[in-house]
Amino acid sequence: MGGVEVGRNAQVKKIMHVLCRAPYGTIYTYEGLEMIMIMAAYGQDLSLVFIGDGVYALKKGQDTSGIGIRGFSRTFMALVDYDVEKLYVDKYSLEERGLSKDDLIVEVAVMNSDKIGKLMKEQDVIIHH
């Protein structure tokens, strides 16, 4: 896991996952979500940032029946059960796509890119999906 220790005596790392791709059409967002849940099970200090088309992963009312795959956006709602509560969305990315905080399926903090950049500097590891 890229230098992240797991196990009983492991050091907790501050790990930020940056989701920047649309949720469907590639495996990046889905596999990123799986990785996040696994890391959360090992008690890591996780945060998620949604930038660019990554904001679509949180959009309410997704219907994937037309593309013939099962949707997974509601899985983001389960993250709170894994103590993953630090969810951030880039304000510009949200606005650029005509979305607001009310259009998202989970509670997030909407931040400008400067604040997101400061959060990134506080992390031990940043993983892009």
Side-chain angles (χ1 to χ4, degrees), residues 18-34:
V18 180
L19 290 96
C20 52
R21 293 181 174 95
Y24 304 103
T26 67
I27 60 171
Y28 293 106
T29 302
Y30 179 75
E31 286 193 347
L33 182 56
E34 284 187 335

Side-chain angles (χ1 to χ4, degrees), residues 112-127:
N112 64 35
S113 58
D114 290 341
K115 286 186 179 181
I116 291 172
K118 288 177 184 174
L119 281 174
M120 287 180 168
K121 289 179 182 178
E122 298 172 3
Q123 307 303 307
D124 296 312
V125 178
I126 297 175
I127 301 171

Side-chain angles (χ1 to χ4, degrees), residues 6 8 28 32 39 43 52-53 60 62 76 93 99 104 107 109:
V6 293
R8 189 176 294 188
Y28 293 106
M39 288 181 168
D53 286 342
K60 290 178 183 173
Q62 294 183 27
F76 285 102
S93 297
L99 299 173
L104 307 180
E107 187 64 32

Side-chain angles (χ1 to χ4, degrees), residues 60-129:
K60 290 178 183 173
Q62 294 183 27
D63 179 8
T64 58
S65 61
I67 56 175
I69 61 171
R70 177 184 238 173
F72 59 85
S73 65
R74 293 180 60 185
T75 307
F76 285 102
M77 294 169 31
L79 290 176
V80 70
D81 295 332
Y82 288 81
D83 295 325
V84 178
E85 299 173 349
K86 298 180 209 172
L87 304 176
Y88 308 103
V89 172
D90 175 62
K91 182 178 190 245
Y92 178 75
S93 297
L94 204 59
E95 291 172 352
E96 188 178 47
R97 285 151 185 83
L99 299 173
S100 73
K101 192 174 178 177
D102 294 334
D103 294 314
L104 307 180
I105 59 172
V106 293
E107 187 64 32
V108 299
V110 178
M111 299 181 155
N112 64 35
S113 58
D114 290 341
K115 286 186 179 181
I116 291 172
K118 288 177 184 174
L119 281 174
M120 287 180 168
K121 289 179 182 178
E122 298 172 3
Q123 307 303 307
D124 296 312
V125 178
I126 297 175
I127 301 171
H128 292 269
H129 302 283

